[in-house]
Amino acid sequence: YERQLSLTSPFNFLAGALFSWRTYRIDDDMRFERDGNGNVGLIKSENSLDKSKLRSAYFMVPVAFKYNLSKVKHVTDDFAYRPQKKHYIAAYAYGGTLLSSNNIYKGDGVRNKQRGNYNVNNFIYGAELTVGLGFGLYLTLAFLLKLNDMIKTKRSSVFDL
């Protein structure tokens, strides 16, 4: 959803909803494992693994304000508008909630897709600044706000990401 605040305003409000998948791939025949106490860690697999990953799905809600750099066009004395061009500056903020986490690995004689709690955050958030350069080009700076680590290390006994 995008809405210009008024016909001549340089500001637009943007909002939406989307799904986001965050994937951590593991090499060297390692895989994620939960022990009986609920601690999550990396263990060496007894089999050779072709694929090992932890995937988390999130429902995300982004909101943004965009400043359009185009000039106001005057059609008549009574009517003016600001065209929506590709030159702009936008500031986005987003937040999301966890839908599911899957521990997936497969290899020599082993294939597993396990849904469960792997100590990923229930909520994620961030911000970014985007500059539209025209001709379909843009530059984005993402701020991954270190306040929100993807893996909760306080409950992880084996690894620290």
Side-chain angles (χ1 to χ4, degrees):
Y1 172 78
E2 183 172 356
R3 177 77 179 183
Q4 188 175 4
L5 298 184
S6 72
L7 281 176
T8 58
S9 173
F11 292 102
N12 289 27
F13 173 75
L14 294 89
L18 57 102
F19 293 102
S20 174
W21 286 266
R22 310 278 170 111
T23 302
Y24 291 97
R25 296 188 188 281
I26 311 300
D27 292 333
D28 300 326
D29 297 329
M30 302 290 281
R31 64 181 178 87
F32 286 97
E33 182 71 27
R34 282 181 55 97
D35 66 14
N37 297 326
N39 295 319
V40 177
L42 287 173
I43 63 168
K44 182 85 168 161
S45 177
E46 298 168 359
N47 304 60
S48 176
L49 297 178
D50 298 327
K51 180 195 305 188
S52 179
K53 62 184 176 180
L54 177 66
R55 182 174 55 210
S56 299
Y58 289 88
F59 176 73
M60 307 285 289
V61 177
V63 294
F65 280 100
K66 181 167 81 170
Y67 182 81
N68 216 326
L69 299 173
S70 63
K71 296 189 184 308
V72 173
K73 292 204 175 199
H74 296 275
V75 178
T76 66
D77 290 338
D78 296 334
F79 182 74
Y81 72 99
R82 184 178 303 270
Q84 301 297 301
K85 299 281 184 167
K86 295 183 181 185
H87 295 89
Y88 61 87
I89 299 170
Y92 295 85
Y94 60 88
T97 184
L98 179 68
L99 297 175
S100 71
S101 290
N102 296 306
N103 182 20
I104 303 166
Y105 58 91
K106 68 179 181 178
D108 293 342
V110 62
R111 182 181 200 108
N112 188 20
K113 183 175 181 181
Q114 216 171 12
R115 190 174 290 198
N117 181 359
Y118 289 92
N119 291 342
V120 295
N121 279 343
N122 290 328
F123 302 100
I124 58 173
Y125 48 87
E128 72 181 45
L129 182 66
T130 301
V131 178
L133 304 173
F135 307 108
L137 299 174
Y138 58 89
L139 175 66
T140 299
L141 302 172
F143 305 97
L144 296 179
L145 304 178
K146 282 299 217 178
L147 305 170
N148 184 30
D149 294 327
M150 182 65 179
I151 302 289
K152 297 177 195 172
T153 57
K154 66 181 179 181
R155 284 201 245 162
S156 173
S157 61
V158 178
F159 64 97
D160 185 18
L161 296 177

